[in-house]
């Protein structure tokens, strides 16, 4: 199978399913739910990092690339999971975090202990400037991107938390070790990798200041996310690893990557990555500084959503690029809070509408755990926040941006990644059936009504709709490969498009993305078959009045 045809389900293992009652989801927990995932229809499961980690950034700070975190199980558990998934024709993707290791990693410890060690050059150590860090870069999570090594007086680059030390991909020895590690996992039978902040691997020559005329820390932006030399690294990685494994799926997280950049990473003839994520929907309604930049109050119109969506669909098609489409993941608030409705009147309908959208786009759909039963944000209280990004942003909002505490609390409650990380709601019982122990993060009390088990028996089941939408995509290759063409483009509430395959089918998708009824102007075709609907089947007409969040697919 061409890996672009996959349907991927993302698991954030810590919160998926706990098999041994310690309150932390684990690999045997994933294995226990394989039948559920198989029935859902997904063929690929991406596991967020499962490696040993001190959890300063919950697994994205890895202290050993070649082992399984004891919190999640053993290597035998992992191998058993791959085997059992394979029996169900499900591939496992691992999360590769090549930009940085934890400061607990043996390489970094060796680099600290002895500045002459070969491992020093695995990282990015530099002398300070004017009693401060080597340059003015701001970390992704706020504060300086540099951390001081008190022993040598030098600084090392930490683009995320101060405990995540950026690796130096200019070092050929480091690259060789990384490729070897990747083959180690591929040889265990995995299907490929999701690659963390892949565009950051290439740093600019000389690590210059960003906007040197400006005072204070500056977010380096394109200076670190768009260095042309990144493509040489990826071509080498492809040659050394991916090309050796047929049908290997690689999805790069292109942190804040531009629409003009993605085709170069993903056109098959360039032999780099299979696909990439983009951030332009995730950051809709945010200010230029991202999620915690509340100045636009996270408000956006459906037309703005459509413009971004159309732009990516059309440009990837034109330039032969490929994206992984998603509306939520472990870094973003729940998709219903962002793009749908958490109002009980519309929760189910909007969950289905968003599913229908994701399953009918050009690109590869990614589902994030729990979205299939319509999970929502949990407004955790400040003392419950676990995420470094949230805690740090809370401080910075108050100290640097002078936001009053009450407003800062409101912003962080809304934006924190903890929203996506509360345990999966399996049933309406104690701890939502996630654990028999004490969950590491509070379970959303709405699990008494919002949960997978109850949803599956509901006549208006969201899980049931996911199954039908996934099956539809599997049955109609036009939904994967067909040409994308927008319909009724200026409609302020309804998104509509056709997917047409040369010599094959032509399908029409129409979705009301709002909580108000809306008219859509559609191409006429007598006797068009209604293949899938969120509410009920209805005949195609030149003008239809859609209910809130109603969506339909027709075969023209
Ligand atoms: O995220 C990269 C990234 O771009 C983040 O800054 C992201 O935009 C932010 O979390 C949104 O709030 C990846 C991982 O997905 C994330 O979980 C890690 O924390 C980060 O890399 C560092 O490894
Ligand atoms: Ca456990």
């Amino acid at each position: 199978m061409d890996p672009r045809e996959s349907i991927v389900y993302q698991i954030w293992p810590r919160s998926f399913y706990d098999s041994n009652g310690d309150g932390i989801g684990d690999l045997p927990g994933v294995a226990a739910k394989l039948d559920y995932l198989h029935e859902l229809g997904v063929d690929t499961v991406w596991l967020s990092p499962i490696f040993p980690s001190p959890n300063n950034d919950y697994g994205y700070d890895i202290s050993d690339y070649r082992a399984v975190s004891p919190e999640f199980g053993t290597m035998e558990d992992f191998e058993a999971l791959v085997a059992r998934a394979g029996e169900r024709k499900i591939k496992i993707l691992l999360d590769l975090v090549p930009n940085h290791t934890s400061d607990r990693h043996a390489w970094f410890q060796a680099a600290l202990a002895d500045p002459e060690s070969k491992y020093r050059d695995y990282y990015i150590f530099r002398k300070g400037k004017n009693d401060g860090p080597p340059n003015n870069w701001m970390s992704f999570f706020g504060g300086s991107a540099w951390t001081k090594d008190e022993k040598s007086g030098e600084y090392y680059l930490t683009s995320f938390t101060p405990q995540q030390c950026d690796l130096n991909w200019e070092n050929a020895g480091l690259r060789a070790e990384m490729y070897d590690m990747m083959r180690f996992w591929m040889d265990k039978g995995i299907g490929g990798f999701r690659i963390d902040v892949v565009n950051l691997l290439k740093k600019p020559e000389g690590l210059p200041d960003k906007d040197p005329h400006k005072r204070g820390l500056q977010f380096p932006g394109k200076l670190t996310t768009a260095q042309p030399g990144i493509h040489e690294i990826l071509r080498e990685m492809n040659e050394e690893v991916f090309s050796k494994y047929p049908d290997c799926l690689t999805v790069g997280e292109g942190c804040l990557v531009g629409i003009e950049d993605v085709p170069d990473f993903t056109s098959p003839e360039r032999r780099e990555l299979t696909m990439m994520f983009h951030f332009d929907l995730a950051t809709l309604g945010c200010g230029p500084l991202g999620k915690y930049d509340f100045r636009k109050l996270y408000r956006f119109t459906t037309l703005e959503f459509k413009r971004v969506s159309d732009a990516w669909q059309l440009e990837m098609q034109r330039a032969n690029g490929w994206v992984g489409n998603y509306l939520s993941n472990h870094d973003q608030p729940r998709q219903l809070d962002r793009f749908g409705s958490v109002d009980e009147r519309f929760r189910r309908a909007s969950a289905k509408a968003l599913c229908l959208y994701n399953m009918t786009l050009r690109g590869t759909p990614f589902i994030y755990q729990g979205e299939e039963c319509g999970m929502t944000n949990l407004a955790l209280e400040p003392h419950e926040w676990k995420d470094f990004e949230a805690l740090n942003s809370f401080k910075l909002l108050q100290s640097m941006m002078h936001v009053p505490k009450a407003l800062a609390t409101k912003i962080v409650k809304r934006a924190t990644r903890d929203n996506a990380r509360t345990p999966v709601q399996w049933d309406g019982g104690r701890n939502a059936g996630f654990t028999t122990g004490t969950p590491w993060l509070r379970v959303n009390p709405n699990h008494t009504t919002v949960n997978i088990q109850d949803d599956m028996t509901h006549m208006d089941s969201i899980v049931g709709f996911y199954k039908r939408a996934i099956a539809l995509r599997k049955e109609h290759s036009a939904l994967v490969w067909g040409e994308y063409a927008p319909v009724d483009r200026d409609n302020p509430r309804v998104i509509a498009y056709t997917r047409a395959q040369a010599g094959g089918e032509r399908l029409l998708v129409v979705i009301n993305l709002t909580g108000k009824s809306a008219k859509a102007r559609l191409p006429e075709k007598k006797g068009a078959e209604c293949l899938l609907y969120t509410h009920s089947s209805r005949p195609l007409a030149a003008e239809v009045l859609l209910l809130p969040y109603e969506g339909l697919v027709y075969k023209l």
Side-chain angles (χ1 to χ4, degrees), residues 203-491:
K203 314 292 190 219
E205 178 88 54
L207 310 179
D209 278 330
K210 165 79 178 180
D211 297 338
H213 53 283
K214 290 194 185 153
R215 285 182 54 206
L217 297 175
Q218 304 299 324
F219 184 64
K222 296 255 173 212
L223 208 50
T224 56
T225 61
Q227 287 298 312
I230 184 63
H231 297 290
E232 269 161 64
I233 298 179
L234 287 177
R235 272 198 294 275
E236 184 183 72
M237 190 184 280
N238 185 302
E239 209 171 289
E240 292 287 328
V241 188
F242 313 145
S243 66
K244 300 189 190 300
Y245 302 88
D247 293 344
C248 172
L249 189 163
T250 55
V251 49
E253 188 205 28
C255 189
L256 306 176
V257 76
I259 192 168
E260 64 287 358
D261 301 326
V262 169
D264 281 351
F265 285 98
T266 59
S267 299
E269 67 274 12
R270 292 189 44 107
R271 298 179 175 275
E272 296 187 21
L273 301 172
T274 318
M275 63 188 87
M276 266 195 143
F277 297 128
H278 74 76
F279 280 68
D280 291 355
L281 284 177
T283 53
L284 261 185
C286 300
L289 289 175
K291 260 187 1 184
Y292 293 87
D293 189 340
F294 55 94
R295 286 169 286 188
K296 288 170 72 185
L297 300 169
Y298 313 105
R299 270 197 223 125
F300 58 85
T301 64
T302 300
L303 216 44
E304 285 169 322
F305 179 98
K306 285 177 58 173
R307 297 266 188 267
V308 171
S309 181
D310 275 349
W312 278 89
Q313 289 290 297
L314 294 169
E315 180 56 15
M316 291 308 111
Q317 176 162 288
R318 188 195 66 77
N320 200 18
W322 197 264
V323 286
N325 293 304
Y326 68 96
L327 291 166
S328 55
N329 63 29
H330 65 294
D331 287 337
Q332 302 298 333
R334 286 280 171 186
Q335 68 186 34
L336 293 187
D337 295 73
R338 280 287 277 147
F339 306 111
S341 172
V342 296
D343 181 330
E344 246 342 280
R345 283 177 304 164
F346 301 133
R347 188 180 61 84
R348 286 176 180 281
S350 66
K352 292 184 202 175
L354 295 176
C355 167
L356 183 59
Y357 166 73
N358 198 6
M359 289 302 151
T360 53
L361 291 176
R362 183 177 181 281
T364 299
F366 283 69
I367 300 166
Y368 180 64
Q369 65 183 30
E371 71 174 53
E372 75 274 25
C373 74
M375 279 179 66
T376 60
N377 285 351
L378 168 58
L380 290 157
E381 295 303 325
H383 71 272
E384 298 177 296
W385 298 338
K386 306 268 188 198
D387 173 22
F388 176 89
E389 185 191 70
L391 296 165
N392 206 40
S393 303
F394 186 55
K395 275 189 246 156
L396 294 178
L397 279 169
Q398 295 173 79
S399 64
M400 282 174 64
M401 299 177 78
H402 308 292
V403 174
K405 189 169 180 184
L407 179 58
T409 309
K410 216 171 130 186
I411 293 164
V412 176
K413 271 189 175 180
R414 181 157 179 176
T416 173
R417 306 190 291 183
D418 292 324
N419 279 312
R421 300 177 178 184
T422 64
V424 169
Q425 295 162 207
W426 292 102
D427 62 43
R430 194 168 158 265
N431 296 328
F434 162 70
T435 178
T436 55
T438 308
W440 77 279
L441 182 62
R442 185 153 66 94
V443 173
N444 194 324
N446 74 6
H447 73 272
T448 50
T449 51
V450 178
N451 67 72
I452 290 171
Q453 190 183 57
D454 288 351
D455 179 85
M456 290 192 355
T457 56
H458 198 283
M459 45 175 270
D460 201 14
S461 168
I462 306 168
V463 176
F465 186 81
Y466 267 78
K467 289 184 187 170
R468 289 195 291 281
I470 290 170
L472 185 81
R473 190 176 177 90
K474 294 259 169 206
E475 281 157 28
H476 299 270
S477 60
L479 290 177
V480 181
W481 304 115
E483 184 181 343
Y484 176 94
V487 169
D488 202 3
R489 215 167 168 175
D490 296 322
N491 191 315

Side-chain angles (χ1 to χ4, degrees), residues 33 90 110 148 157 169 288 338 353 368 514 541:
K33 298 293 184 185
I90 293 178
K148 194 167 185 181
L157 185 64
W169 278 77
R338 280 287 277 147
Y368 180 64
T514 74

Side-chain angles (χ1 to χ4, degrees), residues 17-26 71:
Y17 183 61
D18 175 22
S19 72
N20 63 354
D22 65 357
I24 296 175
D26 45 48
E71 291 185 310

Side-chain angles (χ1 to χ4, degrees), residues 57 60 100 140-141 160 164 194 196-197 253 255 279 291 330-331 389 417 421:
D57 192 22
Y60 287 91
H100 41 261
F140 275 86
F141 294 153
F160 293 88
Q164 284 162 300
R194 176 266 188 190
D196 195 61
V197 293
E253 188 205 28
C255 189
F279 280 68
K291 260 187 1 184
H330 65 294
D331 287 337
E389 185 191 70
R417 306 190 291 183
R421 300 177 178 184

Side-chain angles (χ1 to χ4, degrees), residues 500-554:
Q501 212 171 6
E505 289 181 327
R506 181 157 173 255
L507 305 184
L508 167 71
V509 180
V510 48
I511 308 167
N512 180 357
L513 288 173
T514 74
K516 297 197 174 111
S517 51
K519 262 190 214 139
R521 263 180 283 134
L522 303 173
E524 262 183 297
K525 173 95 200 303
K526 275 233 160 57
E529 187 187 347
C530 183
L531 297 176
L532 184 66
Y533 46 83
T534 54
H535 292 67
S536 53
S537 175
R538 56 160 90 221
L540 179 60
E543 193 171 280
V544 294
L545 184 64
L546 299 167
L547 296 168
Y549 298 106
E550 179 174 1
L552 304 118
V553 181
Y554 294 96

